[in-house]
Amino acid sequence: MRVAFVGKGGSGKTTLSSLFARYAAQRGPVVAVDADINQHLGLALGATATPRPLGSMVTEIKDYLRGDNPLIKDAASMVKTTPPGRGSRLVRLDDPFFPSTQAGGLSLMVTGPFAEDDLGVACYHSKVGAVELYLNHLVDGQGEYVVVDMTAGADSFASGLFTRFDLTFLVAEPTRQGVSVYRQYQEYAADFDVPVAVVGNKIQSADDVRFLRDHVGEDLLTWFEHSRAVRGMEQGRPFTLGDLEPANRQALVTLADRLDAQPKDWEKFGRQAAEFHLRNALAWANRATGEDLAAQIDHGFVYGPAVAAP
């Protein structure tokens, strides 16, 4: 399953991403991806090394993923939304081409921060596009998890990346600002059948829970109470999941059970990949590449584990 953590800046989505990734690693293999411009997921996971950023190797990723697909002539004509087709190289969770480091019992990949050459001339979507390409070509198997810490707010709607997940956890503080991102996200997601579950954070009282229920209703899946253990982790003290308070450990179980129960819909995944590729082709990519990128869609390609090489 693929899950995204989103929320307002400062909501604690990176912290909850790291906690959930650690817990999911007790159930199966996990790749955690830091796709937030602030790049703090490795710190939260206790990583001692940083892998090569995916955002610095977009052209290499395109060359690798296009494989022998006859509909994609070269890397220059491949954009972040280009879907796989017959001849494309599909990847598994542990594909060694994608740089990662081990942290907290899982693999961590990063998009990377802005480089000096990027400042003033590039947007962060150019780096996050590497994650979209990876997810478009990933064939994840039973019991495997991809956990992505996304950019703050509703920025992921600037591309089709928000449709590349089986489930999205929206982290919300019990404040008006916290639930405003929920309303925005729900409004955008509803048109594309994107399942969203709200995770309360920094809860200090029953009044906080009631506030969230009043504003998000049944979308509130669970919540995390204010945690001394998490504060210690953020201050650099030694930490394990066993240090969490019982209620917060149970919240992780609830998240994982909800994700495991989510049906895997490969047909919708493929349909939306084609839809957003066409949207991007018409909006900018045809002009940028000088080609009609609608021709890259292989209508005979079927998504899912059956098409992946063993």
Side-chain angles (χ1 to χ4, degrees):
M1 304 301 287
R2 303 122 177 258
V3 62
F5 278 78
V6 302
K8 181 181 72 67
S11 63
K13 67 176 181 60
T14 297
T15 298
L16 294 194
S17 297
S18 72
L19 294 176
F20 180 76
R22 289 175 190 249
Y23 177 75
Q26 298 178 1
R27 296 195 177 193
V30 172
V31 167
V33 183
D34 192 347
D36 188 0
I37 190 171
N38 293 318
Q39 295 287 283
H40 290 157
L41 184 58
L43 188 65
L45 287 169
T48 57
T50 301
R52 183 183 176 192
L54 301 179
S56 71
M57 51 187 295
V58 173
T59 300
E60 296 167 64
I61 291 173
K62 290 177 179 179
D63 264 330
Y64 182 72
L65 295 177
R66 71 186 182 92
D68 297 319
N69 187 336
L71 303 182
I72 307 171
K73 70 177 186 180
D74 53 30
S77 63
M78 191 172 180
V79 296
K80 62 185 179 180
T81 57
T82 297
R86 285 166 288 190
S88 294
R89 181 177 277 111
L90 303 178
V91 299
R92 295 290 195 179
L93 200 70
D94 58 353
D95 192 302
F97 173 83
F98 292 90
S100 67
T101 191
Q102 294 298 303
L106 52 91
S107 298
L108 170 68
M109 299 195 303
V110 303
T111 52
F114 271 128
E116 185 175 346
D117 292 344
D118 298 322
L119 297 177
V121 298
C123 71
Y124 201 65
H125 299 136
S126 61
K127 298 185 182 297
V128 177
V131 180
E132 190 165 355
L133 285 164
Y134 169 71
L135 293 177
N136 268 341
H137 292 76
L138 174 67
V139 181
D140 41 336
Q142 185 72 26
E144 297 178 337
Y145 300 91
V146 179
V147 181
V148 182
D149 181 25
M150 296 289 290
T151 52
D155 199 47
S156 61
F157 286 95
S159 74
L161 183 56
F162 73 100
T163 68
R164 303 297 83 195
F165 301 101
D166 299 294
L167 183 62
T168 294
F169 288 141
L170 190 148
V171 180
E173 299 170 88
T175 64
R176 288 180 295 175
Q177 297 95 324
V179 298
S180 68
V181 173
Y182 160 78
R183 296 194 188 98
Q184 186 181 26
Y185 214 98
Q186 271 294 75
E187 180 182 350
Y188 295 155
D191 292 335
F192 300 99
D193 190 24
V194 173
V196 177
V198 176
V199 183
N201 196 30
K202 305 180 185 178
I203 300 299
Q204 298 193 36
S205 68
D207 287 341
D208 287 343
V209 177
R210 280 193 291 270
F211 177 87
L212 286 176
R213 286 204 187 281
D214 288 345
H215 286 82
V216 310
E218 295 182 354
D219 284 345
L220 180 62
L221 175 63
T222 188
W223 55 88
F224 287 78
E225 299 174 356
H226 180 74
S227 171
R228 293 182 64 182
V230 169
R231 177 55 59 90
M233 178 190 76
E234 293 174 335
Q235 292 175 342
R237 300 174 195 164
F239 172 84
T240 69
L241 290 180
D243 297 324
L244 283 176
E245 300 76 9
N248 290 334
R249 289 200 300 270
Q250 182 56 46
L252 289 176
V253 175
T254 300
L255 294 183
D257 287 348
R258 172 64 182 87
L259 180 60
D260 285 345
Q262 180 67 26
K264 189 77 169 178
D265 192 342
W266 285 109
E267 187 280 328
K268 182 179 78 170
F269 184 84
R271 173 167 39 84
Q272 291 182 332
E275 176 184 350
F276 278 90
H277 184 58
L278 288 174
R279 283 170 173 252
N280 280 264
L282 293 173
W284 65 272
N286 284 349
R287 183 174 63 254
T289 61
E291 299 182 33
D292 178 9
L293 298 188
Q296 293 180 339
I297 298 174
D298 183 350
H299 297 283
F301 180 75
V302 179
Y303 287 78
V307 300

